[in-house]
Amino acid sequence: MAHRTPLYEAHVAAGAKLVDFAGWDMPIDYGSQIAEHKAVRDNVGMFDVSHMAVVDIHGPDARAFLSAVLANDIAKIDDIGRALYTCVLNTRGGVIDDLIVYHLASERYRAVVNAATAEKDLAWLHSQARGRDVEITHREDLAIIAVQGPRARELAGQAMSDETADAARKLKPFEGFATDGISIGRTGYTGEDGYEIVLPGDRAHDLWRRLQDVGVTPVGLGARDTLRLEAGLNLYGQDMDEDRTPLESGLGWTVAFKPAERQFVGRDALEHMRQQGVSHKLVGLVLEGRGVIRAHAAVRAADSDEDDPDAADGEVTSGSFAPTLGCSIALARIPRDWQDTVEVRIRDRWQPARIVKPPFVRHGKSLIEPD
Amino acid sequence: MSDIPKDLSYTKTHEWIGNDGDGTITVGITDYAQSSLGDLVFVELPETGTKVGAGDGVAVVESVKAASDIYAPVDGEIAEINEQLADSPELVNEDPFGQGWLFKMAIDDETALGELLDADAYKGVVDDAED
């Protein structure tokens, strides 16, 4: 049987359509993916993301360990309460996973990693921690509720104790704190403001119900995917994986090459790739016509010769209809030198698409210039 | 629980067929099909006047999640399409057996309608799909 989160019964009661997601029974939607998407853009929604794994890292060597195992620099969050988005790389520079790490207390960090990769991540972290004084704990006792949308902070505050709500209100983006067994970060995966709340599994149902009582809409993983795509955020396994480096996945900005003396796993491979030149880049696409771009669709240079086998050297990594924009958008990996427009294969036709720089939507507003 | 009106015919591929009684039929997708696909965002319909054979892919409905081919249930000619769906594909979700119809066909041979599934037989198809 698939794993179930502490909120499983609440999802069933709310009429969720449940699907197997990385071995978990998770809600894909509660009736309408588009209505849930819009609830987050226009108002506020909440997601059960308890299938993601919480990993606590603590001990005297915790910082040195994370400095060596993360591609971004843990020194950027030396102040307690800060959070950092980063990749974990293999020695070839490929992405083992992407995660957010919070600096919760002295010598104490908390990482939230993808559900599908949790086992692999834990094995990797344990192997890299050998010989260091650091403890790595998979917190299977914890649940995660993300509250996102322009009214997220206001309404989430109403569902918390006064003291917690007060501390949460003071958070700046990418800050977090821990209190009374829960940790709250002002982070998210939707392009909207909001919190990700990590709390004991046996308290999750109570918070979910209180959030629902103050008017927060339950949102399934279907809308989470269209929201994150509009926000131009990568999905592990689609837009990045172990065979591609962050430099080929639009994540060069998350790799800290300075200071030069910090040795992290994958650094040598990335330095080598930078010297050789990166052949492909990850870009945003906006479909010019009707239809929906899907993952794995072929992409070719605009005005390609039908007989040129090298023309279709690009691939869509994520594609969908964008409810906020009313058209189809995608992330695609294409040769470095392609500019402005491309053609995407949709079913049996090549259709023109415009190259844009993600994100497509931020804080409810379209960032796509009209033609 | 999907709605399966008794007075319509069905295909295994989840089209419904209403006999208009004048040599034409109306075709749409069933409640089960629209619910499985989720929110529809585009409907691509055939041109009127197109000759089609039973089983030919003649239209495409696209939801946020997936694209799905719609097949002609019998031989005939596309007589009319539901123009409203160009701007309002969500009608298929909201009213699959009514305002969300897809196209009408002038049929070559009325006896071909006898080959289609009735509501009970189609319920069996849905029950199997849900198992």
Side-chain angles (χ1 to χ4, degrees):
Chain A
M1 193 179 77
H3 299 291
R4 290 176 175 177
T5 79
L7 292 165
Y8 174 82
E9 298 297 338
H11 301 320
V12 172
K17 198 182 291 174
L18 293 151
V19 296
D20 179 0
F21 188 92
W24 292 77
D25 276 335
M26 298 301 290
I28 187 87
D29 64 55
Y30 299 82
S32 168
Q33 182 172 333
I34 289 182
E36 290 158 29
H37 180 109
K38 289 185 171 165
V40 174
R41 285 276 178 259
D42 302 338
N43 195 10
V44 55
M46 61 181 168
F47 309 80
D48 176 15
V49 282
S50 306
H51 60 312
M52 296 181 77
V54 179
V55 181
D56 283 351
I57 299 140
H58 63 97
D61 290 347
R63 184 180 179 280
F65 165 68
L66 291 171
S67 179
V69 84
L70 304 180
N72 209 339
D73 189 0
I74 197 72
K76 290 179 186 172
I77 60 167
D78 275 348
D79 291 341
I80 289 169
R82 304 269 311 273
L84 183 75
Y85 174 72
T86 180
C87 292
V88 177
L89 306 181
N90 59 30
T91 53
R92 291 173 288 118
V95 181
I96 291 176
D97 202 3
D98 68 327
L99 56 88
I100 289 178
V101 59
Y102 298 89
H103 191 180
L104 288 187
S106 175
E107 298 181 354
R108 186 172 290 271
Y109 295 86
R110 170 166 288 175
V112 179
V113 310
N114 285 299
T117 50
E119 218 169 290
K120 174 183 83 167
D121 292 348
L122 283 159
W124 176 257
L125 293 176
H126 280 297
S127 74
Q128 295 297 307
R130 268 186 215 121
R132 295 183 192 270
D133 192 355
V134 58
E135 206 167 309
I136 298 167
T137 316
H138 181 194
R139 296 294 305 274
E140 292 179 272
D141 56 319
L142 299 178
I144 313 175
I145 297 172
V147 187
Q148 297 275 302
R151 294 185 68 206
R153 296 173 74 216
E154 172 200 341
L155 290 191
Q158 291 177 21
M160 297 170 183
S161 72
D162 288 348
E163 200 183 326
T164 308
D166 220 35
R169 218 176 348 258
K170 290 180 183 140
L171 292 174
K172 295 194 178 80
F174 264 73
E175 282 186 351
F177 70 98
T179 178
D180 182 31
I182 71 171
S183 66
I184 299 179
R186 192 172 165 195
T187 56
Y189 194 51
T190 60
E192 299 298 329
D193 198 1
Y195 298 129
E196 295 199 303
I197 304 165
V198 179
L199 75 172
D202 57 9
R203 288 164 60 184
H205 193 265
D206 182 49
L207 177 63
W208 186 266
R209 189 184 45 75
R210 278 184 285 132
L211 286 164
Q212 214 161 3
D213 287 348
V214 297
V216 181
T217 306
V219 180
L221 295 182
R224 186 170 161 86
D225 191 51
T226 47
L227 288 159
R228 71 92 195 166
L229 181 57
E230 286 185 342
L233 299 170
N234 285 23
L235 177 62
Y236 191 80
Q238 285 189 205
D239 310 303
M240 55 191 155
D241 57 39
E242 289 192 37
D243 297 325
R244 297 285 185 173
T245 73
L247 307 181
E248 300 162 285
S249 301
L251 293 174
W253 64 276
T254 71
V255 180
F257 287 102
K258 288 179 186 165
E261 61 274 16
R262 184 176 71 94
Q263 279 306 320
F264 58 88
V265 178
R267 177 171 194 134
D268 293 346
L270 297 187
E271 299 271 20
H272 182 72
M273 180 176 257
R274 282 214 298 183
Q275 276 165 14
Q276 298 289 307
V278 184
S279 65
H280 285 68
K281 60 183 175 182
L282 196 78
V283 297
L285 299 181
V286 178
L287 185 68
E288 302 282 5
R290 290 162 55 89
V292 182
I293 307 176
R294 309 284 178 188
H296 309 299
V299 182
R300 70 181 190 185
D303 307 318
S304 287
D305 180 347
E306 289 285 346
D307 301 323
D308 178 0
D310 295 329
D313 192 23
E315 186 185 7
V316 171
T317 52
S318 284
S320 183
F321 178 76
T324 309
L325 303 171
C327 65
S328 181
I329 59 170
L331 294 175
R333 190 170 285 115
I334 62 172
R336 189 100 208 145
D337 56 346
W338 289 6
Q339 307 283 343
D340 303 327
T341 57
V342 291
E343 291 177 334
V344 184
R345 194 170 175 84
I346 297 181
R347 298 167 70 79
D348 53 356
R349 283 203 292 262
W350 290 98
Q351 292 203 44
R354 202 148 45 96
I355 298 174
V356 298
K357 189 173 165 17
F360 305 88
V361 176
R362 184 105 186 114
H363 296 309
K365 300 253 181 335
S366 168
L367 300 183
I368 304 307
E369 301 278 334
D371 270 343
Chain B
M1 192 64 200
S2 295
D3 186 17
I4 305 176
K6 289 277 183 202
D7 57 340
L8 299 174
S9 302
Y10 299 89
T11 64
K12 282 183 186 165
T13 47
H14 308 288
E15 289 91 4
W16 61 259
I17 298 96
N19 188 346
D20 301 331
D22 57 357
T24 66
I25 56 171
T26 303
V27 181
I29 64 168
T30 64
D31 184 38
Y32 170 78
Q34 70 77 21
S35 163
S36 305
L37 282 164
D39 297 312
L40 291 191
V41 291
F42 289 113
V43 179
E44 192 178 308
L45 293 171
E47 285 188 25
T48 54
T50 312
K51 285 270 187 200
V52 297
D56 289 353
V58 292
V60 182
V61 289
E62 292 222 39
S63 70
V64 182
K65 278 183 269 186
S68 190
D69 287 308
I70 306 301
Y71 303 98
V74 292
D75 298 341
E77 185 180 313
I78 304 297
E80 190 182 341
I81 58 169
N82 186 351
E83 309 267 5
Q84 268 192 294
L85 300 183
D87 293 326
S88 306
E90 68 277 7
L91 288 174
V92 180
N93 292 116
E94 290 163 6
D95 190 11
F97 299 110
Q99 288 190 74
W101 64 277
L102 300 181
F103 55 88
K104 292 178 187 285
M105 285 176 62
I107 55 177
D108 290 352
D109 175 10
E110 196 131 348
T111 61
L113 297 179
E115 311 272 308
L116 299 170
L117 306 177
D118 65 13
D120 286 342
Y122 178 65
K123 184 174 183 304
V125 172
V126 171
D127 289 346
D128 284 349
E130 282 177 338
D131 278 345

